[in-house]
């Protein structure tokens, strides 16, 4: 049974890896029901999850899940201790906490860009997760961890992407990375616009103005030269007139 479970898990992981970019370390979001089921089944999550998924894992939860476990009291004290040992991911409910199921749904919105796994025993939450494509779902049955097969919504989404009708979130992220590498993102365009605004005057216009000033000064200089030539001629004539007078 263990070998067949790992084969199914490997098959499902390959599907999510190839179509949605799921990769190690696998980030698994736990709610209080999953922690309680692990406690009852005496399941060591940190040891058994990496073996089952055949890769590195990160156990995660949210502040809303921790607050929910605190309000439920002593009956879920052991589940709260398990959840407190997990990494706490920031959720959008800073001011007012919400239920754990609602919080986990908000963490996988917009195509699950962080590639979270959702681990829960809540059937209502599982149904809502299956309606969103690309979210791996995990649960505990008969004291064993199970990675659920891709939901029908996920399979139809993948088929529509393959036919060219839709673009997956993983492909959108790769397209953004390529644009940023080639300088086609939004930030480079803004920087170029700022540089254009700061640019100074055209140097060619300055050169044209200098040429005009030289052209304006050139006729005046020619007149001065003509005057100098005329003066030189008058002095030579005067000297030539004085010489015969002295000879007489």
């Amino acid at each position: 049974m263990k070998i067949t479970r790992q084969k199914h898990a490997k098959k499902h992981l390959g599907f999510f890896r190839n179509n949605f970019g799921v990769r190690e370390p696998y980030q698994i979001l736990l709610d209080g029901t999953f922690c309680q089921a692990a406690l009852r089944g005496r399941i060591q999550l940190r040891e058994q999850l990496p073996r089952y998924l055949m890769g590195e894992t990160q156990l995660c939860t949210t502040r809303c899940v921790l607050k929910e476990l605190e309000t439920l009291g002593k009956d879920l004290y052991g589940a709260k201790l398990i959840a407190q040992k997990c990494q706490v991911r920031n959720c959008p409910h800073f001011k007012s906490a919400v239920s754990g199921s609602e919080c986990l749904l908000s963490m996988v919105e917009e195509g699950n860009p962080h590639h979270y796994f959702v681990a829960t025993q809540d059937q209502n939450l599982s149904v809502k997760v299956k309606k969103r494509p690309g979210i791996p779902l995990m649960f505990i049955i008969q004291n064993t961890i199970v990675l659920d097969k891709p939901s029908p919504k996920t399979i139809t989404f993948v088929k529509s992407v393959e036919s060219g009708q839709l673009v997956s979130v993983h492909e959108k992220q790769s397209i953004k990375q390529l644009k940023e590498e080639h300088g086609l993102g939004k930030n480079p365009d803004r920087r170029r616009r700022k540089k254009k605004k700061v640019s100074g005057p055209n140097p060619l216009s300055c050169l044209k103005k200098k040429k005009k000033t030289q052209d304006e000064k050139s006729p005046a200089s020619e007149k001065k030269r003509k005057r100098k030539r005329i003066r030189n001629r008058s002095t030579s004539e005067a000297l030539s007139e004085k010489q015969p007078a002295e000879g007489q």
Side-chain angles (χ1 to χ4, degrees):
M1 291 291 292
K2 185 177 180 181
I3 296 172
T4 56
R5 282 196 312 114
Q6 285 188 341
K7 283 184 178 180
H8 288 302
K10 185 177 181 180
K11 180 181 177 181
H12 301 333
L13 279 173
F15 178 85
F16 285 108
R17 187 185 301 110
N18 295 329
N19 294 292
F20 296 97
V22 175
R23 60 190 179 276
E24 296 183 34
Y26 303 123
Q27 301 184 84
I28 303 170
L29 282 173
L30 311 178
D31 69 345
T33 61
F34 191 85
C35 295
Q36 182 68 12
L39 180 65
R40 289 178 180 176
R42 297 180 180 179
I43 298 172
Q44 300 295 328
L45 295 176
R46 294 187 180 275
E47 296 177 2
Q48 294 187 20
L49 274 172
R51 292 177 186 173
Y52 176 60
L53 298 177
M54 294 167 287
E56 186 181 354
T57 60
Q58 290 181 354
L59 302 182
C60 311
T61 189
T62 62
R63 295 176 183 174
C64 295
V65 173
L66 293 174
K67 287 184 179 180
E68 185 179 42
L69 290 171
E70 288 178 359
T71 55
L72 292 175
K74 295 180 180 180
D75 294 335
L76 296 175
Y77 180 75
K80 185 183 75 171
L81 292 178
I82 294 173
Q84 286 176 345
K85 294 179 182 179
C86 300
Q87 298 180 11
V88 179
R89 293 287 186 264
N90 293 325
C91 64
H93 314 108
F94 296 104
K95 295 182 180 179
S96 59
V98 297
S99 63
S101 60
E102 186 179 351
C103 184
L104 292 189
L105 280 176
S106 67
M107 296 294 288
V108 294
E109 285 182 347
E110 299 178 356
N112 192 16
H114 299 287
H115 310 298
Y116 287 124
F117 290 57
V118 175
T120 182
Q121 301 295 108
D122 188 351
Q123 293 182 357
N124 293 328
L125 177 59
S126 299
V127 171
K128 292 177 182 179
V129 169
K130 289 180 180 180
K131 291 181 180 179
R132 301 183 179 186
I135 304 172
L137 179 64
M138 301 189 74
F139 52 87
I140 295 173
I141 186 170
Q142 296 179 356
N143 298 332
T144 55
I145 302 169
V146 177
L147 175 63
D148 196 11
K149 63 182 179 180
S151 64
K153 185 76 173 178
T154 299
I155 293 172
T156 54
F157 179 82
V158 171
K159 288 181 179 179
S160 60
V161 170
E162 290 176 352
S163 62
Q165 296 177 2
L166 293 173
V167 180
S168 64
V169 177
H170 176 61
E171 291 178 349
K172 288 180 181 179
Q173 290 178 352
S174 61
I175 289 168
K176 285 182 180 180
Q177 289 178 358
L178 289 172
K179 285 183 177 180
E180 289 176 358
E181 288 176 0
H182 294 282
L184 299 175
K186 293 181 179 180
N187 293 330
D189 293 337
R190 291 178 181 176
R191 290 176 183 176
R192 287 177 184 174
R193 288 176 184 174
K194 287 180 181 179
K195 286 181 180 179
K196 287 181 181 179
K197 289 180 182 179
V198 178
S199 62
N202 190 358
L204 295 175
S205 61
C206 298
L207 292 173
K208 288 179 181 178
K209 290 179 181 179
K210 289 180 180 179
K211 288 181 180 179
K212 287 181 180 179
T213 53
Q214 289 177 0
D215 294 337
E216 290 176 356
K217 291 180 180 179
S218 59
S221 60
E222 288 180 357
K223 289 180 180 180
K224 289 180 181 180
R225 290 177 182 176
K226 286 181 181 180
R227 289 176 182 175
K228 287 179 181 180
R229 288 177 183 175
I230 292 166
R231 289 176 183 175
N232 292 330
R233 288 177 184 175
S234 60
T235 52
S236 60
E237 288 177 357
L239 290 170
S240 61
E241 289 176 357
K242 285 180 182 180
Q243 286 176 359
E246 290 175 357
Q248 290 177 359

